[in-house]
């Protein structure tokens, strides 16, 4: 017997419509009591009246019969007028008739429990909801389509074959099966490792697709960092002045370019100072540079060949090219004029530098840290297994392979612990 849960599935606040979802054993009976005329068959919307204690809501209703629903349970959706009060009244009516409020992600968690989705599907849904660029949404859609899930199951199948072969050899040692098995095991593990490494290596691009590129703009005072930020954003975001030390705090702002998100941070001009606030500003500037994916080291002096001290990749930007005249300069750098506003060359260079174009053609990118960490752990276990093949007995090898199989299973959720599953679903919004 499963509780019947109810929640608003669309966003809160003023809107054209709101969708209220109910799922559980009694969902259809409750809906039949409050909505008339009730749809004659499942999966079809019907217009009718939903009676609340305050007013009659002219709405639409659709129901789905278990297991043919998102959650795998009996499910009902009411499509009502938008806004806060209508949805609230409809939810209250469902509660009065025996439903209980859903927790965050509870509909999806029930879908998982009923075998309607695996963890990577669920994480794909979260990524799609959170996506702010089409590339981030595409990464989520790939998860939702189970592209990663299928690849992981394939790798797990190979490992399972390997373990079974090892166990046969262990059970029948007199058959002298051990030697060929060790060689086959090694080969199979190496194949899985190659595929795992290929997947892991897509995570760099996956990060670009999901989060974008963090770019810190640093340099001496007055070189035009804030002007550059404004030009890159196409808005008058930061204060610009000819007074040195205008920018004191870091200022972050994002902009999309060719479907990639660039997260720019403007920073305080770097110089020695006795001013307490400026010292803090410079400290923050350095911190921003050290945590960025790439640093734009800005200068307005064509003879300046200095390098900003950081381990991060950097690009030297000569700004104020409108003042340079025709001096040929700076082959190794980008020459721009923030004043002219045309700074697309910076975005284009960053776009190429991070191979962002490959996102379009990519089939599957690892965008989720949990998946990446499972893969890295499985990789370690398989590398141990290969090592053990030469050093120790087959049972130790088999154990390590089983460990890797288990670790990979955490990705789709077949071997994941309850608390991991709960953590994933709690990230969902209410009503999802
Ligand atoms: N001619 C010309 N002037 C520019 C250009 N970019 C910025 N400036 C001027 O340079 C001065 C400093 O610009 P800001 O953008 O405030 O410089 P900043 O590097 O942010 O300075 P701080 O915040 O003090 O570190 C302003 O007077 C800008 O108008 C440019 O491309 N050409
Ligand atoms: Mg500034």
């Amino acid at each position: 017997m499963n509780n019947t849960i109810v929640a608003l599935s669309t966003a809160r606040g003023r809107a054209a419509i709101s969708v209220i979802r109910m799922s559980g054993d009694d969902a259809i009976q409750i809906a039949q009591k409050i909505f008339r005329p009730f749809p004659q068959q499942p999966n079809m919307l019907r217009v009718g009246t939903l009676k609340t204690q305050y007013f009659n809501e002219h709405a639409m209703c659709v129901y789905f019969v278990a297991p043919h629903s998102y959650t795998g349970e009996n499910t009902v959706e009411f499509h009502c007028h938008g806004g806060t009060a209508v949805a609230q009244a409809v939810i209250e009516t469902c509660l009065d008739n025996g439903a209980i409020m859903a927790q965050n992600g509870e509909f999806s968690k029930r879908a998982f429990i009923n075998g309607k989705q695996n963890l990577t599907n669920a994480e794909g849904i979260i990524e799609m909801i959170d996506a702010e660029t089409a590339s981030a949404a595409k990464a989520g859609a790939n998860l939702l389509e189970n592209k990663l899930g299928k690849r992981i199951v394939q790798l797990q199948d190979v490992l399972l074959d390997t373990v079974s072969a090892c166990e046969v050899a262990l059970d029948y040692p007199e058959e002298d099966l051990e030697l060929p098995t060790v060689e086959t095991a090694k080969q199979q593990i190496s194949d899985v490792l190659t595929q795992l490494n290929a997947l892991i290596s897509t995570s760099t691009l996956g990060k670009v697709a999901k989060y974008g590129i963090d770019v810190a703009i640093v340099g001496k005072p007055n070189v035009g960092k804030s002007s550059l930020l404004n030009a890159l954003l196409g808005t008058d975001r930061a204060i610009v002045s000819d007074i040195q030390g205008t920018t004191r705090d870091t200022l972050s702002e994002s902009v999309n370019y060719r479907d990639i998100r660039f997260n720019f941070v403007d920073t305080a001009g770097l110089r020695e100072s006795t001013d307490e606030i400026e010292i803090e500003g410079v400290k923050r500037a350095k911190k921003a540079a050290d945590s960025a994916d790439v640093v734009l080291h800005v200068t307005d002096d064509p003879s300046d060949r200095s390098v900003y001290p950081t381990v991060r990749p950097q690009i030297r930007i000569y700004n104020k090219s409108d003042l340079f005249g025709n001096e040929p300069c700076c082959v190794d750098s980008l020459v721009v004029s923030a004043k002219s506003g045309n700074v697309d060359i910076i975005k284009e260079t960053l776009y190429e530098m991070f191979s962002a174009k490959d996102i379009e053609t990519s089939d599957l990118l690892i965008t989720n840290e949990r998946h990446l960490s499972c893969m890295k752990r499985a990789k370690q276990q398989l590398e141990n297994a290969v090592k053990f093949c030469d050093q120790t007995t087959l049972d130790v090898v088999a154990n390590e392979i089983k460990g890797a199989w288990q670790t990979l299973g955490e990705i789709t959720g077949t071997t994941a612990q309850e608390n991991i599953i709960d953590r994933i679903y709690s990230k969902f919004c209410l009503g999802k």
Side-chain angles (χ1 to χ4, degrees):
M1 170 83 189
N2 237 334
N3 286 335
T4 298
I5 50 172
V6 62
L8 174 65
S9 285
T10 42
R12 236 145 281 273
R14 198 162 184 275
I17 63 161
S18 55
V19 176
I20 289 114
R21 181 146 63 174
M22 219 179 359
S23 175
D25 288 349
D26 298 334
I28 295 172
Q29 284 92 313
I30 295 173
Q32 278 166 338
K33 271 197 249 167
I34 61 178
F35 188 92
R36 302 247 164 78
F38 197 72
Q40 281 142 335
Q41 48 181 315
N43 315 330
M44 277 183 69
L45 271 171
R46 180 148 195 201
V47 179
T49 303
L50 196 153
K51 235 178 142 89
T52 78
Q53 62 167 310
Y54 311 103
F55 53 85
N56 287 339
E57 159 68 349
H58 194 59
M60 292 199 286
C61 175
V62 56
Y63 74 97
F64 307 93
V65 178
H68 306 292
S69 70
Y70 176 69
T71 58
E73 303 174 333
N74 285 343
T75 303
V76 179
E77 280 178 14
F78 299 117
H79 295 226
C80 304
H81 290 101
T84 316
V86 175
Q88 193 51 43
V90 172
I91 289 171
E92 259 180 57
T93 312
C94 296
L95 296 174
D96 289 345
N97 283 280
I100 57 167
M101 266 320 282
Q103 312 264 318
N104 281 22
E106 198 172 351
F107 292 94
S108 301
K109 189 174 171 194
R110 288 185 178 201
F112 172 77
I113 290 167
N114 292 323
K116 286 273 168 180
Q117 59 176 232
N118 64 33
L119 284 192
T120 53
N121 297 145
E123 287 163 318
I125 295 171
I126 300 179
E127 291 199 9
M128 287 192 78
I129 292 175
D130 288 345
E132 296 199 23
T133 56
S135 26
K138 180 183 166 188
N142 280 343
L143 284 177
L144 189 56
E145 277 178 41
N146 206 26
K147 284 194 181 165
L148 177 63
K150 282 185 197 145
R151 291 277 277 277
I152 294 298
V153 170
Q154 279 167 6
L155 298 182
Q156 278 187 297
D157 283 348
V158 177
L159 295 181
L160 214 53
D161 282 349
T162 317
V163 173
S164 337
C166 290
E167 282 179 351
V168 171
L170 284 166
D171 287 346
Y172 304 99
E174 67 283 1
E175 301 285 319
D176 200 22
L177 287 163
E178 187 146 341
L179 205 61
T181 312
V182 170
E183 284 317 309
T184 325
K186 249 194 198 164
Q187 188 53 50
Q188 285 176 325
I189 301 170
S190 304
D191 289 348
V192 173
L193 269 173
T194 308
Q195 294 192 49
L196 213 48
N197 282 329
L199 278 174
I200 290 172
S201 71
T202 67
S203 63
T204 314
L205 205 54
K207 186 171 168 270
V208 172
K210 186 170 174 183
Y211 300 108
I213 303 168
D214 294 342
V215 189
I217 307 173
V218 300
K220 291 184 187 146
N222 252 3
V223 293
K225 299 179 295 301
S226 302
S227 307
L228 210 52
L229 175 81
N230 289 346
L232 287 162
L233 299 175
T235 57
D236 194 15
R237 177 67 181 83
I239 301 175
V240 166
S241 88
D242 57 6
I243 302 166
Q244 296 206 349
T246 303
T247 307
R248 307 203 117 192
D249 212 338
T250 48
L251 197 161
S252 312
E253 201 68 62
S254 301
V255 68
N256 291 356
Y257 174 74
R258 294 177 67 181
D259 197 40
I260 294 297
R261 203 166 172 75
F262 286 103
N263 310 306
F264 290 109
V265 189
D266 179 25
T267 63
L270 303 167
R271 66 170 170 182
E272 296 291 328
S273 170
T274 50
D275 181 307
E276 211 178 305
I277 300 172
E278 193 169 4
I279 292 171
E280 178 59 27
V282 169
K283 213 158 110 191
R284 289 181 185 208
K286 290 179 176 164
K287 200 169 153 203
D290 287 338
S291 61
D293 295 317
V294 55
V295 173
L296 300 184
H297 181 209
V298 187
T299 173
D300 59 356
D301 173 4
S303 63
D304 183 356
R305 284 278 183 280
S306 66
V307 174
Y308 177 77
T310 180
V311 291
R312 299 293 182 187
Q314 63 181 296
I315 303 175
R316 195 185 298 122
I317 310 278
Y318 285 103
N319 185 33
K320 309 191 187 178
S321 65
D322 51 304
L323 302 179
F324 294 178
N326 288 329
E327 281 174 68
C329 86
C330 348
V331 270
D332 56 344
S333 318
L334 296 180
V335 183
V336 299
S337 161
K339 204 168 200 172
S340 76
N342 185 10
V343 290
D344 270 0
I345 186 170
I346 296 180
K347 293 183 195 165
E348 193 52 39
T349 304
L350 292 170
Y351 190 86
E352 275 174 30
M353 186 173 173
F354 286 85
S355 311
K357 199 165 186 356
D358 297 346
I359 292 174
E360 264 175 53
T361 48
S362 66
D363 178 43
L364 177 61
L365 297 175
I366 302 303
T367 48
N368 182 298
E369 268 122 67
R370 193 183 71 82
H371 302 165
L372 185 62
S373 119
C374 289
M375 283 182 210
K376 285 184 175 166
R377 255 192 301 139
K379 174 185 166 172
Q380 184 63 54
Q381 286 165 309
L382 291 176
E383 281 170 353
N384 288 345
V386 172
K387 220 167 44 196
F388 292 156
C389 282
D390 297 325
Q391 293 172 354
T392 175
T393 49
L394 213 48
D395 55 330
V396 183
V397 176
N399 239 349
E400 208 60 28
I401 303 174
K402 269 188 226 165
W405 177 86
Q406 177 116 12
T407 308
L408 288 177
E410 286 178 30
I411 295 175
T412 52
T414 46
T415 64
Q417 282 165 355
E418 181 82 26
N419 58 351
I420 296 176
I421 295 165
D422 283 346
R423 193 164 350 125
I424 290 169
Y425 283 101
S426 67
K427 285 189 205 149
F428 273 83
C429 347
L430 189 64
K432 185 68 206 171

